[in-house]
Amino acid sequence: MQYRTLGKTGFKVSEVSLGTWQLGGKWGDPFSEKDALDTLEAAYDAGVNFFDTADIYQDGASEKAIGKFLKGKEDKVHVSTKIGRKLDPHVAEGYTKENIDKFVDECLTNMGVDSLDNVLLHCPPTAVYYNPEVWFELDNLKKAGKIQNYGVSVEKVEEAIKALSYNISTVEIIFNMFRLRPADLFLKLAKEQNVGILARVPLASGLLSGKYTADTKFGKNDHRSYNRDGSAFDKGETFSGVDYMTGVKATDELKERLGSDNLAQTALRWILMFDAVSTVIPGASNPQQIDRNVSAADAPALTHDQMLIVNDVYNKYIKNPVEYLW
């Protein structure tokens, strides 16, 4: 495992870390604390020292499992959690001082810690980026010692750029072979301001594993079944907003032209080719998936020609309409 500095946090974090949306069970499956703890330990044993979670993941069970896992490791690992999506409805007006304070206190309780390493607003409505009081309250929580750093998980590149107006330490953004636009400008701006980048949805909800076909079926409670049109939340969260059959065609071509029999590893390594990225956070629902993820840190760098192939496939299949929506 290799390590990079997470922007102005100063944390040295594993290039490949762990996102915990699926921790303890596949999307839509019942939560298993044992599977969650086994997965966290497997990641730690493989050199992973950064974990990304959210207060709504498994209705708080993800944070609680991470809290148990943390005991005795507090000085060896870093955890980032997200707040805001408990709001129902999830509207800008809900991002009040009282709610932000409440959410942070609940995260502290769930994980059994006195201070949170990093707190991200969880894909807030665009209007929140234009309400400085929200961000100033995060400054207050930082001064009070309840949080050490803060930032935001975004849907759109424009939101990420706007967030750089505030005293943020990190931005979590969808960046993968099907989402190239962040590299056009945002990564450069973030690097100039020493803001750490967490690359989320790195495998486009599994599409970029290269294992899915036209016949692949997903469970009815899996967002890859029910959110393809964005009826539950931003459709960019599901397959990175890519039409499923188009994504299958694109991944088949990537596998052939890149000569890769392990597209997941290649896709993760592609993200790490960008030095502005601090860490990539693929998910895992069981310990067996950890090895697949962390192998990317030691994989060979992509060649110039391979990078051009990724661009070509993106332009051919994905750019329109994905680039214009996010």
Side-chain angles (χ1 to χ4, degrees):
M1 182 63 70
Q2 305 298 316
Y3 298 83
R4 299 185 182 188
T5 302
L6 182 61
K8 63 185 71 169
T9 70
F11 299 156
K12 297 292 185 181
V13 299
S14 46
E15 286 186 337
V16 179
S17 297
L18 180 64
T20 63
W21 190 2
Q22 305 170 65
L23 186 68
K26 294 180 180 179
W27 283 307
D29 287 353
F31 178 77
S32 166
E33 184 182 82
K34 181 182 184 301
D35 286 350
L37 292 172
D38 288 348
T39 302
L40 291 166
E41 290 291 351
Y44 179 72
D45 290 343
V48 173
N49 73 341
F50 185 82
F51 301 85
D52 173 82
T53 186
D55 57 3
I56 62 165
Y57 288 173
Q58 294 83 35
D59 196 26
S62 174
E63 285 187 330
K64 291 174 182 176
I66 289 173
K68 288 187 177 182
F69 160 76
L70 278 176
K71 302 304 181 186
K73 303 184 185 74
E74 291 89 345
D75 61 339
K76 299 177 182 177
V77 302
H78 302 288
V79 179
S80 179
T81 194
K82 299 185 285 293
I83 63 171
R85 295 305 288 266
K86 284 185 178 181
L87 293 169
D88 186 16
H90 183 229
V91 294
E93 292 76 13
Y95 281 79
T96 62
K97 175 185 184 303
E98 293 74 21
N99 281 335
I100 291 170
D101 292 355
K102 175 187 174 186
F103 295 153
V104 166
D105 285 341
E106 289 171 346
C107 293
L108 290 167
T109 298
N110 281 346
M111 287 191 276
V113 296
D114 297 322
S115 181
L116 301 171
D117 291 338
N118 191 51
V119 171
L120 304 175
L121 300 183
H122 198 171
C123 299
T126 302
V128 171
Y129 296 86
Y130 294 86
N131 181 0
E133 296 304 319
V134 171
W135 310 85
F136 295 164
E137 180 55 23
L138 292 167
D139 283 326
N140 291 335
L141 289 168
K142 187 174 179 180
K143 291 173 184 174
K146 288 190 174 184
I147 65 178
Q148 296 178 41
N149 302 277
Y150 70 84
V152 63
S153 182
V154 306
E155 299 287 6
K156 302 177 184 297
V157 170
E158 286 78 10
E159 294 170 341
I161 292 173
K162 176 59 179 174
L164 294 175
S165 304
Y166 303 104
N167 187 32
I168 61 171
S169 298
T170 53
V171 169
E172 186 173 286
I173 190 168
I174 297 177
F175 182 51
N176 58 47
M177 286 178 169
F178 289 166
R179 280 286 193 97
L180 272 57
R181 189 167 168 237
D184 289 345
L185 175 63
F186 171 66
L187 294 187
K188 174 179 178 291
L189 295 176
K191 184 177 179 181
E192 288 174 352
Q193 295 192 31
N194 195 25
V195 168
I197 299 298
L198 314 177
R200 69 186 186 97
V201 198
L203 297 178
S205 306
L207 259 180
L208 285 166
S209 69
K211 297 180 179 179
Y212 298 164
T213 70
D215 299 322
T216 301
K217 303 297 182 184
F218 303 96
K220 67 176 182 178
N221 294 323
D222 188 321
H223 73 99
R224 293 173 294 185
S225 289
Y226 67 77
N227 193 55
R228 294 190 187 188
D229 61 354
S231 58
F233 44 83
D234 191 296
K235 69 178 181 179
E237 301 280 349
T238 302
F239 302 128
S240 292
V242 176
D243 170 73
Y244 180 74
M245 287 308 302
T246 302
V248 170
K249 291 178 184 177
T251 53
D252 286 346
E253 184 163 328
L254 282 169
K255 284 190 294 184
E256 179 182 353
R257 294 179 63 184
L258 292 172
S260 175
D261 58 1
N262 187 347
L263 188 62
Q265 181 190 75
T266 304
L268 295 175
R269 187 65 183 87
W270 177 87
I271 297 170
L272 294 172
M273 295 294 292
F274 298 83
D275 61 3
V277 172
S278 307
T279 185
V280 57
I281 50 172
S285 57
N286 58 62
Q288 292 71 38
Q289 293 173 349
I290 295 297
D291 287 341
R292 176 204 70 182
N293 293 343
V294 300
S295 67
D298 298 319
L302 276 71
T303 66
H304 177 70
D305 286 345
Q306 287 176 316
M307 297 295 285
L308 291 178
I309 287 170
V310 174
N311 283 12
D312 186 52
V313 171
Y314 172 81
N315 288 333
K316 179 178 178 181
Y317 292 100
I318 309 299
K319 183 174 181 177
N320 182 20
V322 168
E323 182 159 312
Y324 306 104
L325 295 176
W326 293 280

